[in-house]
Amino acid sequence: MINAANIAEMNDKFQSMQPRAILAEVFSVFPQAAVSFSGAEDVALVVMAKKLNPAVRVFTLDTGRLHPETYRFIEQVREQYSLEIEFLYPDTAAVQAFTREKGLYSFYRDGHEQCCGIRKTEPLRRKLAHVDAWITGQRRDQSPTRAQVPVAQVDSVFAAQGRSLLKFNPLANWSSQQVWEYIRMFELPYNALHDRGFTSIGCEPCTKAIGPNQHEREGRWWWEEATAKECGLHKINIDSLAD
Amino acid sequence: MINAANIAEMNDKFQSMQPRAILAEVFSVFPQAAVSFSGAEDVALVVMAKKLNPAVRVFTLDTGRLHPETYRFIEQVREQYSLEIEFLYPDTAAVQAFTREKGLYSFYRDGHEQCCGIRKTEPLRRKLAHVDAWITGQRRDQSPTRAQVPVAQVDSVFAAQGRSLLKFNPLANWSSQQVWEYIRMFELPYNALHDRGFTSIGCEPCTKAIGPNQHEREGRWWWEEATAKECGLHKINIDSLAD
Amino acid sequence: MINAANIAEMNDKFQSMQPRAILAEVFSVFPQAAVSFSGAEDVALVVMAKKLNPAVRVFTLDTGRLHPETYRFIEQVREQYSLEIEFLYPDTAAVQAFTREKGLYSFYRDGHEQCCGIRKTEPLRRKLAHVDAWITGQRRDQSPTRAQVPVAQVDSVFAAQGRSLLKFNPLANWSSQQVWEYIRMFELPYNALHDRGFTSIGCEPCTKAIGPNQHEREGRWWWEEATAKECGLHKINIDSLAD
Amino acid sequence: MINAANIAEMNDKFQSMQPRAILAEVFSVFPQAAVSFSGAEDVALVVMAKKLNPAVRVFTLDTGRLHPETYRFIEQVREQYSLEIEFLYPDTAAVQAFTREKGLYSFYRDGHEQCCGIRKTEPLRRKLAHVDAWITGQRRDQSPTRAQVPVAQVDSVFAAQGRSLLKFNPLANWSSQQVWEYIRMFELPYNALHDRGFTSIGCEPCTKAIGPNQHEREGRWWWEEATAKECGLHKINIDSLAD
């Protein structure tokens, strides 16, 4: 069993386990857990999940602003692994009102929060309202905001009122190096942007290639402060930093 | 006056008029006419319209699959001309159901009609339901399906029940050459893709650069027959060909 | 027979002949004629020549500044048609002295003549000193400087002292359209740059993609006057314009 | 004094010194030492050298196959620092004979040694025949073949007969990280390829971008074994590994 009551205990136990074993245990309790796929190196998580759980439920937040390469990559994974992927879209009225008022690049002026809120957070919230557990590819080495990411946690940010929602980050303790060894060893497909200097990949206007010896997070929301670089999906990370 | 009753007559009159004069006459009757902007060389139409009618109503169908270059260009036009642009988005539930079932590239297998239907036609229909007249940058030389495009017509395809809708194509008789002379002479901004071999520009997966001496329409829906190459917006063109 | 004495007569005769027939007649007299290949759409000429004359002698002026795509394309043609291609290089000392004094982009400041002189004209002169006839892909529609290009001419510019040199331009009367129909109909390979907006292709710093409805010559030496746009290879064209 | 007799001693002393101090000492003995510039991150060395020694002698091996971006970058450095750069070219006859026989990409079939020999090693040998000391940007962390690179050494490979030649690698003990901190802190210009996934940069056909967490040397001569990846310039490294 894994539940809100014993989550700290489970998290302790998971610290010494490999992603595959963690995933197996999570699926044994929550076979319908929703796996988030961003179209980047979290392909490692998605493929692992599919192998363990052929009926795995995968979703992608299609913000409408992803790179063409990312759309092609997600489709490639969908086809190659016969994966059913649910694409989640912004609310029509909300995104229309937002862009009519502020145009297509307001985030460069007043921060990414509003845009992420409409294009990612709200669709995710809609999705998670009907879910008991979700699984992400977050890692501690991705950014300062993720340095404390637990393997298992109660997700108080996205839980619908009166419901419990658990969040699992099986790759939390893996390094970027380990994820890429996995991708290369098992010859997983990967986003073509990774061969053009991109490490972290999000929406097209908010992602750029990084140079030699730069940290992957320097390629995201580079006009903002490092400690605020979360898109809302993982706002719980920011909240916990603020403690 | 221009109305459904005298539209054929108006169309005859417009044949010998320049786009600017046509636009001026249309705006004198329909100051709130909605101008469609695709982010391509129809920038000529949009800028002409803005100069004649500072309060012009411009809309763009943001399918969620446009090129990053197109998004940047539309924003550039929005800012440079202090233009208010309304971005129209697909219905959330419809696009979610569609992509969940068929993935992101079904058009390559079963044609572009369904995808255009959801991402362009339906949002356009929603918009035109509240409009008396709309204005587009269509030209006769763009493709076989557009060879008969009139300057003024009754739009029976998008008219809401019990309403009259007029459609104006002020550039119908201009050649690509003339549009580009206008763009270059007045130094209008243009989509960066035009400097990389793109002539006609639509959604990213359905547009490609053309080679020397190819017709611009060869860069659109190239896996389909030339006579079916309309996206639904201008279905009235296909209907009229079928007569 | 074709020789300096009857060249005007031959040129008259060639006016009404197709490139293939012209080439056949030229090779019947000069089987060792040197065919110039620039790595652009003159692939049509090279393939035609190879089919007529399997031992055809092809040369390319490798200026050291061609596009990577052009090098790859030339190699592709070399391999696909089992073609022997002679690559001609600038004189080591000349190019060293030139770049040491002026750097790598002096042509943007003082014109392309000196650079073309060292990287193209001199190596070509070296080559043509031992040749009786050469064949190029020049066409009248390529630029104002080529509007008078004959099919057959005496090449007084490159003839070594005391020797006669003939120059043949079998495509002179073909349009760009016809060359591309040939390339597409026979599915010849072509330079990848042609799919990215490039029509005319020369050295990388001196070539750019053109936009819709621009003439191909606008993509070459765009900072100079249209009537001076020859690289020295075909200086005879300029000379004849000056008559 | 630094000479062939005390070079081991000097090398010991240099181990604990920073690149700038090493360079200063080398220039105090050899003000005319030739600094090699590849158009990559060794811009750090070149700028350091120029600041210490305004009359510094810089050379670049222009193989005729560098990336357009590299040519533009070298010119940018040349202009920004008023640097005199000597570009060294392959011997005309040698490169003509080589490409006529083997085409433009023989290295993919039979290794890069012959091509590097003609395009890099021979021109370098020509240059170094008249030089007492040369300075490079080699670092130990660049590849297995460079793991033992000393700061100062006798260059027995390139010394002309009867002459002594010293080679200095002031960055030998710096990491890639340190070089890039230097470039970023002092806002040096850098090759645009570094923003597209390229770390190590050489000739265009023999260089590629690397993916996340790959070693920079994986982007060079990737079809060959890691322990043979030297281009001939630094053959002394291979020789010393063979000891």
Side-chain angles (χ1 to χ4, degrees), chain A residues 69 72 191-198 209-210, chain D residues 195-198 209-211:
Chain A
E69 292 83 355
R72 280 195 279 275
N191 193 318
L193 294 172
H194 288 305
D195 281 336
R196 291 198 253 140
F198 288 77
I210 55 171
Chain D
D195 281 338
R196 300 207 307 247
F198 289 77
I210 55 171

Side-chain angles (χ1 to χ4, degrees), chain A residues 92 95-96 99-100, chain B residues 59-64 85-90 119-120 123-128:
Chain A
T92 309
V95 71
Q96 285 191 178
T99 54
R100 180 172 199 163
Chain B
F59 70 89
T60 287
L61 297 165
D62 181 353
T63 63
I85 301 184
E86 187 177 11
F87 299 90
L88 304 176
Y89 290 85
R119 296 186 188 264
K120 294 174 128 183
L124 179 65
R125 188 176 301 280
R126 237 190 290 136
K127 170 71 186 170
L128 296 180

Side-chain angles (χ1 to χ4, degrees), chain B residues 163-179:
Chain B
R163 288 189 63 139
S164 158
L165 175 67
L166 301 186
K167 181 177 182 179
F168 299 95
N169 311 297
L171 306 180
N173 296 325
W174 261 16
S175 63
S176 169
Q177 178 86 25
Q178 287 174 292
V179 173

Side-chain angles (χ1 to χ4, degrees), chain C:
Chain C
M1 270 303 291
I2 312 176
N3 55 41
N6 71 1
I7 196 85
E9 196 181 318
M10 293 307 297
N11 184 47
D12 284 349
K13 175 180 159 192
F14 286 152
Q15 295 306 315
S16 58
M17 291 168 60
Q18 285 297 308
R20 202 179 168 283
I22 298 166
L23 263 180
E25 190 150 340
V26 171
F27 280 133
S28 74
V29 182
F30 301 104
Q32 309 212 355
V35 176
S36 170
F37 181 30
S38 75
E41 82 277 29
D42 56 355
V43 66
L45 174 76
V46 169
V47 171
M48 243 183 242
K50 174 71 181 178
K51 286 181 182 164
L52 285 166
N53 179 3
V56 64
R57 306 196 159 200
V58 175
F59 71 89
T60 287
L61 297 165
D62 181 353
T63 63
R65 301 295 290 274
L66 304 182
H67 293 80
E69 292 82 356
T70 300
Y71 287 120
R72 280 193 281 274
F73 172 56
I74 293 174
E75 182 75 0
Q76 182 188 0
V77 174
R78 197 183 78 93
E79 292 191 350
Q80 186 169 331
Y81 294 95
S82 300
L83 209 64
E84 202 178 306
I85 301 184
E86 186 177 12
F87 298 91
L88 304 176
Y89 291 85
D91 177 72
T92 309
V95 71
Q96 285 191 178
F98 172 53
T99 55
R100 179 172 199 165
E101 183 195 347
K102 295 197 168 182
L104 297 171
Y105 296 87
S106 60
F107 33 81
Y108 291 145
R109 296 186 301 267
D110 58 17
H112 68 271
E113 200 169 326
Q114 186 177 12
C115 190
C116 283
I118 289 166
R119 296 186 189 263
K120 294 174 130 185
T121 315
E122 187 279 329
L124 178 65
R125 188 177 300 280
R126 237 189 289 137
K127 170 71 185 170
L128 295 180
H130 308 286
V131 158
D132 296 320
W134 69 303
I135 304 173
T136 88
Q138 285 190 101
R139 300 190 319 274
R140 292 186 178 171
D141 76 346
Q142 285 176 313
S143 72
T145 63
R146 298 191 175 177
Q148 309 299 331
V149 161
V151 177
Q153 66 190 138
V154 172
D155 189 339
S156 53
V157 171
F158 284 102
Q161 189 139 24
R163 289 190 62 137
S164 157
L165 175 67
L166 301 186
K167 181 177 182 179
F168 298 96
N169 310 299
L171 307 180
N173 297 324
W174 262 17
S175 64
S176 168
Q177 178 85 24
Q178 286 174 292
V179 173
W180 279 98
E181 275 165 11
Y182 185 89
I183 290 173
R184 293 189 180 112
M185 190 181 312
F186 295 104
E187 296 185 329
L188 305 193
Y190 61 85
N191 192 319
L193 294 172
H194 288 305
D195 281 337
R196 291 197 253 140
F198 289 77
T199 304
S200 179
I201 298 174
C203 285
E204 188 275 339
C206 295
T207 299
K208 64 175 185 181
I210 55 172
N213 296 107
Q214 285 193 310
H215 187 276
E216 62 175 82
R217 217 59 184 177
E218 298 189 62
R220 301 292 296 281
W221 303 301
W222 51 94
W223 62 95
E224 303 183 20
E225 281 303 311
T227 50
K229 290 186 179 183
E230 284 297 347
C231 65
L233 263 72
H234 304 301
K235 187 174 169 297
I236 198 171
N237 299 340
I238 303 269
D239 295 350
S240 70
L241 282 178
D243 289 346

Side-chain angles (χ1 to χ4, degrees), chain A:
Chain A
M1 271 303 292
I2 312 176
N3 54 43
N6 71 0
I7 196 82
E9 196 181 322
M10 293 308 298
N11 184 47
D12 285 348
K13 175 181 160 191
F14 286 152
Q15 295 306 315
S16 58
M17 290 169 60
Q18 285 296 309
R20 202 179 169 285
I22 298 167
L23 263 180
E25 190 149 340
V26 171
F27 280 134
S28 74
V29 181
F30 301 103
Q32 310 213 355
V35 176
S36 171
F37 181 29
S38 75
E41 83 275 30
D42 57 355
V43 65
L45 175 76
V46 169
V47 171
M48 244 183 243
K50 175 71 181 178
K51 286 182 183 165
L52 284 166
N53 180 3
V56 64
R57 306 198 159 199
V58 176
F59 70 90
T60 287
L61 297 165
D62 182 353
T63 62
R65 301 296 288 276
L66 303 182
H67 293 81
E69 292 83 355
T70 300
Y71 287 120
R72 280 195 279 275
F73 172 56
I74 294 173
E75 183 75 0
Q76 182 188 1
V77 173
R78 198 183 77 93
E79 293 191 349
Q80 185 168 333
Y81 295 93
S82 301
L83 209 63
E84 202 178 306
I85 302 184
E86 186 177 12
F87 298 90
L88 305 176
Y89 291 85
D91 177 71
T92 309
V95 71
Q96 285 191 178
F98 171 54
T99 54
R100 180 172 199 163
E101 183 195 346
K102 295 198 169 181
L104 298 171
Y105 296 87
S106 61
F107 32 81
Y108 291 145
R109 296 186 300 267
D110 59 16
H112 69 271
E113 199 169 328
Q114 186 177 11
C115 191
C116 283
I118 289 165
R119 297 187 188 263
K120 295 175 129 183
T121 315
E122 187 280 328
L124 178 65
R125 188 177 300 281
R126 238 190 289 137
K127 170 69 185 172
L128 294 181
H130 308 286
V131 158
D132 297 319
W134 68 303
I135 303 174
T136 88
Q138 286 191 101
R139 301 191 318 275
R140 292 186 178 171
D141 75 347
Q142 285 176 315
S143 72
T145 63
R146 298 192 175 177
Q148 309 299 330
V149 160
V151 177
Q153 66 190 139
V154 172
D155 189 340
S156 52
V157 171
F158 284 102
Q161 188 139 23
R163 288 190 63 139
S164 158
L165 175 67
L166 301 186
K167 181 176 182 180
F168 298 95
N169 310 298
L171 306 180
N173 296 324
W174 262 18
S175 63
S176 168
Q177 178 85 24
Q178 286 174 294
V179 173
W180 280 99
E181 275 165 12
Y182 184 91
I183 290 172
R184 294 190 179 112
M185 190 180 313
F186 294 105
E187 296 184 330
L188 304 194
Y190 60 85
N191 193 318
L193 294 172
H194 288 305
D195 281 336
R196 291 198 253 140
F198 288 77
T199 303
S200 180
I201 298 174
C203 286
E204 188 274 339
C206 296
T207 299
K208 64 175 184 181
I210 55 171
N213 295 107
Q214 285 193 310
H215 188 276
E216 62 175 82
R217 217 59 184 178
E218 299 188 62
R220 302 291 297 281
W221 304 303
W222 51 94
W223 62 94
E224 303 183 20
E225 281 303 312
T227 50
K229 289 187 180 183
E230 284 297 345
C231 66
L233 263 73
H234 304 301
K235 188 172 167 296
I236 197 171
N237 300 338
I238 303 269
D239 296 351
S240 69
L241 282 178
D243 288 348

